[in-house]
Every structure is written in structure tokens, then in C-alpha cells.
Amino acid sequence: MTSRLIGLSALGYLAVVIAVLCGAPSGPMEAQLRALALSDVEAQPDLGTEAQRESGKVLYAKYCVQCHGEKGDGAGDATLHLLPRPRDFTTGKFKIRTTPSGALPTHQDLVNIIRRGMPYTSMPAWPNLSDQDVSNLAYYTKTFSPDFSVAESVPKPLEFPAAPASTSETIALGKKLYEENGCLKCHGALGRGDGPSASTLLDDLGYPIRAADLTQPWTFRGGPTRQDIFRTMTTGLNGTPMPSFADALPAEQRWAITDFIASLSGSEVPAYTNLVVAKHALDPIDLAKGAEVFASAPVARFPIVGQIMEPGRQFNPAATSVTVQAIYDAESIALLVRWHDSRADRTGKADPTLPVPLEEEVEAAKPAAAPAADPADPFADPAGAAAEAPPSEFNDAVAIQIPTQAPTGARKPYFIFGDAQNSVDLWFFDLARPDPLQFTGRGSADVVPNDTGDVTGVASYDQGEWSVIFKRPLRASSGVAFVPGGFLPVAFSVWDGFSRERGNSRGLTAWYSVYVEPEVVPSAVGPMVRTALFLLVIELAVIGWVRWSRRSAAERQGREGGSHPAATRA
Amino acid sequence: MTIPHSVRIAGLVLVTTAFYGYVGQLVPQREVQPPTETVLRADMTTADMVKVGGELMVGKGLCMTCHTIGKSGALRFPDLEGVATRASTRIPGMSEIEYFAKSLYAPDSFIVAGFNPGMPVINKPPIGLTDQEILCVIAFLQTLGGTPTVTLQTSHAYYTPPGGAPAAPGGAPTNATPTNTTPAQAPVTR
Amino acid sequence: MNIPVVLAVAAVFTFLRFRRANLLVWAGAWWVGLYVIFRFGFSAPIPASVVSLYMGIVSIAILAYVSSSEQRREEISGPLIRFMTDKRYTALLGATVVAIPALAAANVYVQMNVPLEPPLFPRTVHPASPTEITVHDKKIDLDAGENPFLELAVSHPEEFRKHVENGRRVYYQNCVFCHGDNMTANGMFVHGLDPIPTNFADQGAISILRDTYLFWRISKGGPGLPEEAAPWDTAMPAWEKFLTEEEIWDTILFLYEFTGQKPRAREEVHTQ
Amino acid sequence: MNGLSNRKLLFVLGPVTGLVMFGAVLVIATFLTNREYTQPYRAPAAVVDTTPRAAGLEAERTAAEATARATPYVEAEYRAFPVVGSRVAIWAVAQLHLLFAAFVLAVPIFAVLIEAIGYKTGDKRYDRLAYEFTKLLSVSFSLTATFGAALTFMLIILYPKFTNYMMSVFSPTFLPYVGLFFAEAFFLYTYYYGWGKFHPLVHLALGIGLNIVGTAIMFIANAWLTFMMSPNGISDAGALISVWEAIYNFTWMPINVHRVIANVAFGGSVAAAYAAFKFLQATTDEERAHYDWMGYIGNFVAIIAFLPLPFAGYWLAKEIYAYSQTLGLTMMGGAFSWLFIIQAVLIGNLFLGANYYLWLGMGRVKGAQPVQKFVKYLLIAIAICFMVWATPRSIIATVAEIRSMGGSSHPILGFLGVMSAKNTAVNILILTTYMSFLLYRRTGKTATVAWAKTGHTAQLLIFASAAIFVIFLGVYGYFVEASVRIGLSVPQVSAVLFAMVAITAIDYFLYRRPKMTADVRWGHMPAISQYVLIFIAVTFTWLMGLMGYVRSGLRQHWHVYGVIRDTSPDAFTPTLGFATQVVSVTVLAFFLLIGFVFWLASLHDLPDFDQRSSHPHERSS
């Protein structure tokens, strides 16, 4: 009895210890946020104690100074290559707030942004710092701008009503409001960040700024949830053309637009994958039909990173992801590559071999754009602005990269245009031209045309999205064969003319795979039956053996008249 | 139905070894190839040849086992510092290339005063440099006090590259048959 | 740790303790319980390969235990034999005989219908370095060499600080995109890279390597890796194209400085 | 009558048949050779010499001969072995040679020890046991020599250039080697055949001589082999500078020590397997008791020798790192890191098997129940250590798994993959095995000394503090830098060794005159225990084979590569899967041969043929 009790209590103790060790998950953030927003904040500047600021200063010197600079002016060591630029704390302008447009953020706003970082920028989340440390950092951040110590400018958080349920009506209403309130001027009709003024946007410091692609909420700087979207719309983003709608629209309408934006993607996280499956199509692939023939093929989304490995680096590729679909018929395989681009640039020329302007020159050229005459009014005459811009010599382009020879084993060509030993086959589409071209890559410095005419394709640009179809015979003279049931490495590159990308300066993906799904997927029935029968035979043999030996032992016992229990063999 | 012990033991041994063999199949399989070899390309420049020649001197050629570069004092074999200057002037009318070639193919032809003969033949086993490799060595030797001029197309008394001009007149009779006349296939230790 | 799973397993064990279950049940319970914990009990899931390795060990251990004394052997084989021979279990036995192949067949079905994964090729994470490399026409001895600026830490602390600061600048202008602001491999491009960048804050990463090894990795990058380390996939640039030798050494100083680690010391060479 | 006529018939028919067959062969051969000329488009036989074809053939032959004459003699660098290739052929033969050599070197070590014990205690059992071990020697010795010769010839044939180089470096060592070999044969045969014929001390001296000579032989051979791994005493170009330095290279001493210990463990396990084999074949209780005891002793020797083996291994690894950082990294972190996971599986199995055998052995003693209850905890400790040790440093995981883990190293398993954890695990494994042994030792005994309780407490305290100390250092290792961490294994090992020595010392006095509560019933062992002994022997052999692969695999880039570079088609290092297959086949071949040795040894016990046939009834009585 006692031993049982001890055992029980020991188990209980163990459970408690485990629970304590692992730590209960912390409460949801928006609860804290809401609590803060609703509470009465005293109109005293919350600047923390001297000790807190000192502690924050130490942490700042270790973790933050590299980007935000010693003076907090956003001019750190790293700033050179960063876009968006690191926040300049001296201006007191912060994007992600719970306070009205133009106002300072609350302390909690600063804490939150340090805690969770800004997705798809170089500002990371800092989950490992303690609450105390983050708070101290926030206090220290405030020392850079004198505004924080002024009593009048103590921020008063806006009210954030609880989210109403999202219904098809609210979404429809949101769509209407979205159009009526001019959101589409920057964000585009389908939210792809391709509005007519998108290409002219500048932030307060005169740097070009891209309108958010509303179909990819995971890239939202303020967070992907409906609450985040609503907050951004309510408060606006200080220092950017994004205005506050707190006064212009009542909360219900803002929620409706939020619902519409949330419905554009349907997911808060990107479904990145590593495989594109080419489905078999019975009908011959007809390029004239465009994207519709790909309806049966699953969509694979691959993340795009900047080409920062070879000289001619691009630290801020315009596209963050491509989606790919593939089908094949008896003769050919076709890949549909789609990505979002705020503007179709079809006036220049593109070529993977074109030299890239030196990084230093590009860096030097960037801030040259003077602050816009009236940054507060981004909607001023978008058509005129577009007309003024001289035709760019940079051009949109896309390339699919596959190995020239099917890899044996693990060996693949280098993922940036191959290497000297293992070359790659590039299907390159200069989107100013009607047809794709082919190149052979043996490293990014050694790309030569190898146009056999095997690859054909069509490209179209619609509402901020490029759709490019490449088609090639399954077995072509110019490259590796696509075999049903086989995997092939595949990689993609995207050039954005608007961001002056060409040659090595581009966005690219690592190696992923394309799988040519056989027309008939092998059935599992045969192996299942074999396994089951095999096990059944073993079972019956074991049972038979046990019964037989038991019986013979019993017989022996009967003969000997012994009373031993049956001998068993382990 | 008793199975003999010897059969059981054999079964156990078989099953155990099979099990470990199976464990060996479960782990990642990777064949490690020897380090890649540089290939003497037909289009090597003289500068490339100097580099390869230097490596050959240390590695496959075993030259530095006996010779030194830039050492003085009581030496057992001639020091090679400035050897190109000496080679071009030692025998009147003989170019440094011919001098080096003869020294390498027929080592006892020239014995520097004060040293004993003892150099092995370079183009035969155990060292066995190919004719192209010897050209590289000559290129390297030329840098020691001179300017390298040889290319893979250079011919000398002992070797005529395929399609190259015949050896300069007055050279020693050829006694080394070029066995490997395809430069692209001659591997060299890096 | 995944608390609910652990607690559930503990609860089942407690229950069995009270029921005074026999050895056979216990053996089964331990096997299943440990499997559940390995498979689901960790918040960062253990890869299947390791789980099967562990379960193999658990199976062997349980088998060894139940057969390690005559009493236990009987305790375990008794019920099994009764189950296979007694008349009253015939129905149950029949059901089991059918159920096991059925389960196995179901497993085969699941195995054959797992979501497609591209072929995975393992790579060696820390392959052996060459003994010597040439960077900017200078030969660097990786076996015997060391960071030329390391000694400044003692002799000229001022100078040393300058080098570290320079390393910090280099890091944040070049490396931060992948290796991240706090060196935990959480840079802004990480989601698009495979293999993911090295996490310098990990105790087992740079502290087990010599600084010359880092120099090799940084200067030659992915393309300089040997075959077994899959250089074709690695996004690590060959930094000799962008940085001077000094900048690379400075960055190495900064890496160790920031993470509070020290490079692996050169082993003492014994003299004979 | 019938038989006689048959014999006569045979006498006549035999030569006749032979002649007829010879004639038939001649006819057929002639027919076959002539067929060529009967073909219509060929010229008739009369003018055969002048046909263009024959002239062509002749010219071809002359040309071939001329070419052969003109071609200078070229020393071949490599020759190919048919079917499996040179590498595998050398590999398998070398491995078999090593396995037999290990056995031949190890058995005398403990045979002499056991004989000495027998001499001192006067217990005849020991003498018989030692003789039984020695019986296995002579056949194994000739097998060793056979494989050694095969290995030498194959090296000369298949790798002439390399062999030549090794010969040139080590030329002064070969004649002493041969001399020692003669001495080995002398000692071995006098020791074996002189059993009971000499004064026991003289016989013991012969045994000691055998051991010394055997060890010396191994040391010399080790010099050649370690030189390939860590060449020393030669110039960069490979020319010999000092023979002594070539011999005394970095890994020579560690490998010597490692091999002596491993040989003893291996020999013990194979001898135990022999005992198990005999136990299973035994028909009488007496035989069973004897072979049970012999198996126990063999296994005991194996385990005792096995316990310090990991330490010797660490020393070897340290020397390899000292020789070349890169070589060390290749071995532990590079292509071979997975090999050490396989090794962990093997060693885990060995520990588990050894412990399991001890637990089963408790069944020999009646009333071992109180001790049996500890088995559970020992098993848990062993299983945990086994898992820690088998946790790979670089985990195989799918991309999805890597992402959900948040990186290629697991937040928890990552800690278990590194050396600190593995050192700790192996130390705890050793401690646990030692505990098993201690528990086994005291089954059926009760300490009678007055301070029994204190003594037990002290033992427990020492054990617990050693375990805690080892674990503490293991955990502490994560918080210090690498250079300190490497040094931590020394106090860990010292703690374990200290604990083992101290506990043994206490135990010795504690159980000096124990009260025997139950007798050890030798021979009262379940059959499964004997299979475990064989399993241990197989595992051990396989482990040796695997370690042979890692040694030869490390040769890849480093041995005399720069000078005697391996440019043969076999120069690559094969995959682990292939290596394990070769090892498996070698191990099977070894057990086939050792089975033959066992059979031969058991023939010795059978009565002579004459005796058996003339007194068929005497045997059964």
C-alpha cells in the first residue's frame, strides 16, 4: 500500500516538475494589447528609470546599434544594404502603433515590435530576450527622440473594438469600400500592390517604398492577423504613404475592408513547399489556352531570396515568392510560373549575361531621389507621374534552371547558374520579347546562349501578376529528359525591371524538385496483400508450433505421469 | 522437432551478421573519391605550366628530396637557385631548354663540378613524369633566374609534341619514345 | 516537452500500477508509452530515423528484461501460450491473427501514400578541411595556422578592439541576411535556404571548430566545400570575392566575441 | 569369388579404358584443330603456309613478339584481383589474418594466467581449462600464418609499388619479424605439446615466452600499419629519415595498447563461444558444468578487458587529432561519423549482452531473487546510455522534420550528439556493467564481517558519488570551452576507475569468508545464455571488422598518399553499406573457419577409432 502511494506521489511530483520545467505558454499577445488599449494611460511620459535606460543602452549597444546606429538615426553599419531602411528613432515616427496617425507609439507598441520583429525585413524577432530586457530597450529607444519626453505628445492609444465575425457580406462590403476609398490606387484592384501609383511611392525620407502585396499577409510588417490588418488601417504607417483611416471610416467599415484583405489570401502563413508535381494531361498542351490548362495541377510556392552570393548582389529582391504549376502530355512538359510585380517593365532588355551595375553605384544612386514635393499626398496625379518616368532600360524577366544532365546521386550543379563541371540549362524569358530563349550556365560568369528552339512559351501580365508558361518536349536535344516517376532539380530566377535588376542582380530560389507524376500511380494493393499474407503465415506457424509442442509435452507428461508444468522456451 | 545446435548456432551467426550488415545499410551512404586531379589541358599557358611544374617538383617528381632552392653550404646535390642562368650559359650554343631536357632525360650528361652523379631518370619509373609534365618542370626551372618560355608545343631533343616542329638540329638523338601524346589525359598531382 | 502527452503516459502507467498488471502488459505498456513519448512528447519533434533507432534499443532492452530470469520468462510466455492454446481465447486469438496482418497492410498503405518528398541526400556538416588554401594569392596553412590578430587580444587590446569592430561592420553588412542579427541563423532569407545557415550561438557549432576552419569556410564558401558536403546546395558565398583576408579574420574574431565562445584549441603535438 | 573376378576385370579394364579415352581425346582434338582447314573458303592444308592469312597470322605473331621485345620492362604499380577487385581481396584476407592473429595472441595471455592460478591454488579445474583454451591455439596459429602469407603475397602482387615502398622504409624490421615468428612457433608448440610434461614453472615460463614473443610480433606489425595512417620519420617526399621514428609514429603506441586489450577481450569472447558450443553439445551434467564455467570465465575475461577499451580508444583518437586535425575531423565528424553510430550500436549490444549474461547467471544460484530486482534499474541505465551513445551528431531528417525542429540540430538531441554526452554515457555504461558483475558475485552469499553494513554503505556511496561526478562533469562540459571540455574526460575516467578499484577492494574484504546461502549450480543455465555468448563473440568479431574498415578508410587521403599515391581504381573509400557487407562476409568466413577449429579441437576429445571400433560397448557404460 505504502509503496503504491509512494509511486503515485512520485509520478505526481514528476508531472509537476515537468510542467514547471517546460513552462506554461505565455498568454496571447493581443489580449495584452487590448487590455492596454482600453486602459487609461496617464498623461505622463513613460520614460523608465535611469537604471532601465542604462540597461537598455547596454543591450542596444550589443544588439541594435549595428542597424539603428549609435545615435539611433538608422545609420548603422548594416544600413547600406537594407531596404526598408532601419528605423530612424530620432524622428519619432514609428510604423506599427496603436496610436493615431502621426502620434508617438506607446511603450507597449515598442515592446511588441521588438518582441516579434518585422517579417521580411532585416528586423528579426527577439524571443530570447527577457520581458525586462525588451522593456528596457524600448525605454532606451525613446531617448533618441525628444518628443517622447514632452507631456503633450504622450500617446493616447486608439480604441480597438473586438473583431466582428467575418462573413461573405462583410467581405463584399469590404471590397466595395476598398475600391471606393482609393486603396486600389496603390495596392491594386486585386491587392497585389500594383496600383497605378505604386511605382511612384516614396517614404518621408525620399526612398522608394513598395505598397504592400495584400495577397501575401505573411509579409505584412505589422503582422498577418485580422487584428493586425485592422490596426494598420486604423493608425496608418507613419512616415509612409499609408494613411490612417481612423477618422475617415467607421470601425465597422474598417473591419469590412480588413475582412476583404484577409480573404485575398485565406492564409496567414505562406505554404512554401519544396516540390512541384507535374500532372499528366490527356489533351495536348495548348499554349494559346494560357493558364487554364493548369487547373488540375497543384500549386507550389517557392520562396525567393536575394542573389547575394555572387558579385552583383541584390539584397532586396522585389518578388518574395513564385508559384509554379506543371503539367505534361505525351510529348511536352509545361511549367506555369507566376509572381507578383507592381509594374510590368517591357521597355528594356534582359539577359542573364548582362553586366550588373556595381553595388557601390547602386547604393549611391538610391537616395538620389529627392523627397517628393508632397509626400503626404501620394495620390496626386499618378498618371502624370507614370508618364514622366523615362522608359526604363531594365526589364522584367524570369528563368527556369534545370541541370543539363540528370544528376547521378547527390551531385547537382551549383544552384547559381551551375559550375564548371556541371552545367545548367536555363530557360530564359525576356518579357519584352515574345519567346523564351535558352542559355547554358557554367557559373554565373559563364552563361552562353544555347538556343535550340526547344523551349516555347507565352507570358502575360495581368493586375500585378506575371504568368509565364514555358513548354518543352519531354525529351529534347537541348537538355535533360523529364521521365515520368522521376525527380529533377529545378530552380527559378526573377528579375524586376522596376528595381533595376538584371544579370546577377535578381531574386532566385534554391534548388527545389519537379516530380513528373506517372499517368498511373502504382497501386498499394499488391504490397499490402503480400505483407499481410507473410505475417499471417508467420503467425499461424508460431501458433501451430506452440500448440504442437504443448500437446506433445502434455502427452509426454501423460506418459511419465509427471506433474511438471509444461516446459516453455523463451 | 529439435533443430541441431550447430544449425541453430549457424543461424544465430548468420542472423547477427545480417543484422549488423543491415544496420550498415540504414545509415547514409557516401563514397569518398580521391581528391580531384588537375588535368594538363592542351591550352595551358606558360604561367599555368610553371604552377604545375612547381607542384611536380615537390610532389610526384620527388625533385625536392635531393635538390634545394636557395640553400648554400655543404650540399649533397646542386642547389637550383638561379639555375636557369647557369643552364643557358654553361654549354655554349645550347639553349637552356635543351640543357634542362638533357639533364632530366639523361641525368648523368652534365655533372656539376664537386658533385657526384646520382640523379635518377625522371621519365621512367619509379618517378615516371610524362613528357608534358617534364615540360612543366622545365617551365618552373626557367623561373629560377630566367623567364619561362616553354609551352606545351615546345619541342626539344627528347620530345616532339604531336604536330609540333621537329627538334632543333644538333640535339641529342631521341631515345625516349613519347608514350603519352595526348596531353588532355595526363593527370597531374595537384 | 509536450506536457499533455507526458501526463497521459504517466496516467496510464499509474493506472497499470494500481491494476497490478502482469509483466506482459507492462512490457507492452513500456514499449507503447516510450514510443508515444519519443514520437509526440517533445515540442521539437524527434526525426523518425532517431525514433526508430531509440525504439530498436527499447525493444532489445524490454526483450532482455523479460527473458533475464526464469520467473520472468514464464511470466511472459505463460499468458502468451495460454492465449494461443486455451479454448476460451479462440475467438480473440482469431481476431488477433486477422488484426495484425490487417494493421501491417494498413501501414503499408500509409507508407505508400505519404506525401511526396523530393529525394533527400545527406551531407556532411563539418567536412575535413584541406591543409592549405590560397586566398588572395596568399597561402594559409589551416592545420598549423591561426588567426593572426588573435594575439592582439593580449598584446594590444586597443588594436584588437578595432579588429573586432571591423568584424562587426563586415558581419552586419554581409552576413546578417542569412545568419541573422543575433547569429541564431534567423536572417531574412533563411526561409528560402536549404541547408539553413549555421547558428553561431549554438554551443556545438563554432566552438568545436578551429578559427582556421572558419576562415576556410568563409573565404571559400559553398563552392569550396568538398563533394560530401553538397556544395551545390549551400548558399554560403565565397567571401574572398568580396572581402579581404583581414576582413575575414576580423569577422571571425567578432563571431567568437559576440557569442562568447572560443575557437577549438590546437591539440598539443606530443614530442617523441 | 565375385569380388576377386571383379578385381581382375578392373585390372585389365582399367588400362584399356584409359587408352581408349586417351585415343578419343586425341581424335577429338585432331578433329577440332583440323576443322579450320576443312572449311571451303580456306586453302587446303598443303599450301597452308603460303596463304595470305597464315602469313598475316605469322606476321602478327612476329610483330607481337617484336613489340614485347622492344617494350622496356615497366614496373606495374597495381594489378587487379579478379571479380571483387584488389581492395576487397586485400581487405578480407587482412581482416581474417587479423582476427586469427588476435585470437592467437589473446588466448595465451589468459591461458597462462589461468594456469598460474591453477598452479597457485592447486585446483586442477584451472589447469584443465587452460589446456582447453590452448587446444584451440595450434590450428588457429597455422591459419593465422596461412592468411598472413596470403596477405603478403597479395600485397606484392596487387600493390607492388606500395609494398616496395613499405619494404624499403621498414626493411630492418622484417628479419626480426621472421625470427620472432620462429620463436613464436617454438614457444607455442612446446607450450601446447609440453602440457604436463614439464615442471609447471618451466611450462609457465614457456607460456610467458609465448606471450612476450606474440606481443612483440604484433608491435612490429602495428608499426607498419600505423605508419600508413600517420607516417612519420620520412621526408615530405617519402624518403626515409629514421626507421625508429617511422616505427614510433603518433598512433603506434595507442594502437598497440588498444589492440592488446581488444585482443584479450576478443579472445575471451571467442573462447566463451567455444565453451557455449561445447555446452550445447554436452550430454552429461558434468560436462555442462565444466563448459558453463569455462564460458563464464571466457566472458569474464572479455568483459574485464572490454571495460578499459573505450579509454584506450579515446587516447588513440586524441593522438590522431594531435597528428593531424584534419584527419581527426575526417574520422569523427566527416565521412566516418556514421560509422561511430554503428559502432555505438555494436558496443551497446555488447554491454547489454554481457550484462544480460550476468543476470541470467544469477539463475545458477538459488535464492537470487533479492538481487534480481536491481536488474530493472541496471537495464534502464544501460538503455539510456545506449540511446545517448547512439544519438547521431548529424541527424537524418526530412526537410519537413528539419523545419519543424527549427534547424538541422535538435534542441535536445543536439546536446546528446556531442562528445560530452557520449563520454558520460560510456562511463556510466562501464559503471553499470561493473555493478552487474558485483551483484552477480554476491548472489547466494552473505557477508559475515562485523562491518558489513558500513561496508555496503561505503560501496554504495562510492558508486553513487562516482556516477554523480561523471554526470556532473558531462553536464558541466556544455558550459565550458572546447579545450577544457576535452580535458574533462580524464577526471571522468579516473572517477570510474577509482570507484571500480575501491569497490572491489572493499568487496574483497567484505566477502572474504561469506556465509554461503546457496551453492552455485554450474551447468544450471538456460540454453539462451549460451547463445548470448555466441552473440557476443559474433558482435565482437564484427566490431573488429568494422574498426578495420575505419582504419583502412582513414588511409584514403593521409597515409603515404603524397608519395605513394593510390591511383588504382580502388582508391576511393567505399560506402558504409558496402563496407558492412564486406565485414559481414568476413565475419561469416571467420566463424566458418573457427567452427572448423572448434570441431578439430573437439575431435581431440573423442576416443581413437581403434578403441571405438574394438570396444563399442565400453563407451556407453
Side-chain angles (χ1 to χ4, degrees), chain B residues 78-151:
Chain B
D79 188 78
L80 297 178
E81 183 70 58
V83 70
T85 328
R86 297 198 294 276
S88 54
T89 56
R90 194 134 176 263
I91 309 288
M94 194 176 209
S95 75
E96 57 191 52
I97 296 174
E98 291 294 342
Y99 183 89
F100 284 136
K102 193 161 186 179
S103 303
L104 291 166
Y105 283 91
D108 289 348
S109 304
F110 312 112
I111 306 295
V112 180
F115 291 98
N116 295 323
M119 175 148 156
V121 187
I122 303 301
N123 64 331
K124 297 210 175 77
I127 297 176
L129 295 190
T130 64
D131 296 315
Q132 290 82 20
E133 287 172 342
I134 290 180
L135 278 178
C136 294
V137 171
I138 293 176
F140 179 79
L141 290 175
Q142 282 186 310
T143 63
L144 302 171
T147 325
T149 54
V150 290
T151 63

Side-chain angles (χ1 to χ4, degrees), chain B residues 19 28-30 32, chain C residues 122-124 228-229:
Chain B
F19 169 70
Q29 306 294 321
R30 175 153 285 153
V32 181
Chain C
R123 59 187 286 276
T124 305
E228 71 259 28

Side-chain angles (χ1 to χ4, degrees), chain B residues 10-92:
Chain B
L12 176 70
V13 174
L14 204 63
V15 167
T16 315
T17 46
F19 169 70
Y20 292 134
Y22 173 68
V23 171
Q25 310 304 314
L26 291 182
V27 302
Q29 306 294 321
R30 175 153 285 153
E31 213 166 73
V32 181
Q33 295 295 335
T36 45
E37 296 178 339
T38 36
V39 171
L40 286 190
R41 295 186 321 273
D43 60 342
M44 274 201 339
T45 62
T46 304
D48 293 336
M49 289 173 65
V50 169
K51 194 158 166 281
V52 172
E55 284 161 0
L56 283 169
M57 295 276 290
V58 178
K60 187 176 171 188
L62 300 178
C63 310
M64 305 315 284
T65 316
C66 304
H67 290 286
T68 50
I69 296 176
K71 217 176 182 183
S72 56
L75 297 171
R76 290 187 58 204
F77 298 95
D79 188 78
L80 297 178
E81 183 70 58
V83 70
T85 328
R86 297 198 294 276
S88 54
T89 56
R90 194 134 176 263
I91 309 288

Side-chain angles (χ1 to χ4, degrees), chain C residues 42 44-45 47-49 53-54 58 60-61 64-65 67 69 72-73 120 128-129 143 196 204 207 262 268 270 272, chain D residues 248 319 322 325-326 330 352 356 360 372 376 379 387 390-391 393 395-397 401 404-405 407 410-412 481-482:
Chain C
F42 289 87
S49 64
L53 185 74
Y54 284 178
V58 167
I60 294 176
Y65 180 71
S67 64
S69 82
R72 281 194 281 268
R73 274 198 298 281
L120 188 77
S129 64
D143 254 358
I196 56 173
S207 67
K262 288 228 169 78
E268 292 279 312
H270 79 164
Q272 293 172 354
Chain D
Y248 193 11
E319 289 294 299
Q325 191 80 14
T326 346
T330 312
L352 206 57
Y356 183 61
L360 284 172
Q372 274 282 357
K376 211 182 294 185
L379 183 71
M387 285 181 200
T391 306
R393 174 84 180 95
I395 296 169
I396 311 181
E401 280 172 336
S404 63
M405 282 194 307
H410 190 275
I412 296 166
E481 59 194 73

Side-chain angles (χ1 to χ4, degrees), chain A residues 131-362:
Chain A
D131 286 347
Q132 200 58 50
D133 285 347
V134 175
S135 181
N136 293 347
L137 270 175
Y139 282 127
Y140 184 66
T141 308
K142 293 183 187 176
T143 62
F144 292 116
S145 168
D147 298 352
F148 280 102
S149 44
V150 181
E152 294 89 81
S153 62
V154 166
K156 294 174 191 63
L158 295 169
E159 227 171 86
F160 291 95
S166 168
T167 65
S168 53
E169 286 89 49
T170 60
I171 292 174
L173 173 66
K175 185 168 170 30
K176 197 164 118 299
L177 291 165
Y178 178 86
E179 286 158 6
E180 284 170 2
N181 287 284
C183 302
L184 43 64
K185 282 186 186 162
C186 295
H187 293 290
L190 296 177
R192 289 171 181 161
D194 63 320
S197 6
S199 55
T200 65
L201 298 177
L202 298 173
D203 68 9
D204 285 6
L205 297 172
Y207 290 101
I209 187 168
R210 295 171 188 140
D213 183 344
L214 300 181
T215 63
Q216 298 182 4
W218 51 87
T219 64
F220 292 176
R221 313 292 188 236
T225 65
R226 286 173 70 218
Q227 281 79 5
D228 291 325
I229 299 170
F230 180 82
R231 186 201 55 235
T232 301
M233 212 180 351
T234 305
T235 65
L237 298 177
N238 284 357
T240 79
M242 175 73 192
S244 157
F245 290 91
D247 303 326
L249 296 172
E252 307 82 69
Q253 295 194 359
R254 273 180 272 141
W255 273 117
I257 296 178
T258 299
D259 292 343
F260 169 67
I261 291 171
S263 76
L264 285 175
S265 131
S267 167
E268 290 175 5
V269 289
Y272 289 142
T273 174
N274 51 16
L275 181 69
V276 51
V277 178
K279 289 271 181 195
H280 182 260
L282 285 174
D283 305 324
I285 300 166
D286 183 4
L287 284 181
K289 281 189 187 164
E292 67 183 82
V293 296
F294 289 87
S296 67
V299 179
R301 185 182 286 278
F302 300 123
I304 282 188
V305 299
Q307 196 291 106
I308 54 172
M309 298 88 194
E310 296 288 326
R313 296 182 286 181
Q314 168 58 286
F315 295 91
N316 305 283
T320 56
S321 59
V322 286
T323 60
V324 184
Q325 287 164 281
I327 54 169
Y328 72 103
D329 61 16
E331 269 150 28
S332 311
I333 184 164
L335 282 95
L336 166 63
V337 185
R338 291 192 284 197
W339 72 99
H340 289 181
D341 190 342
S342 62
R343 190 178 81 181
D345 295 272
R346 285 184 270 213
T347 52
K349 59 174 185 156
D351 188 320
T353 61
L354 279 179
V356 184
L358 285 176
E359 272 164 43
E360 289 71 29
E361 293 171 18
V362 176

Side-chain angles (χ1 to χ4, degrees), chain C residues 148-164 253:
Chain C
F149 306 113
L150 194 59
E151 51 161 18
L152 295 177
V154 186
S155 58
H156 299 86
E158 296 280 299
E159 196 76 356
F160 183 73
R161 290 295 340 147
K162 267 188 207 153
H163 282 287
V164 173
L253 287 182

Side-chain angles (χ1 to χ4, degrees), chain A residues 32-42 106 155-159:
Chain A
Q32 295 173 11
L33 215 155
R34 207 177 303 128
L36 196 103
L38 295 176
S39 67
D40 260 349
V41 180
E42 70 274 43
T106 66
K156 294 174 191 63
L158 295 169
E159 227 171 86

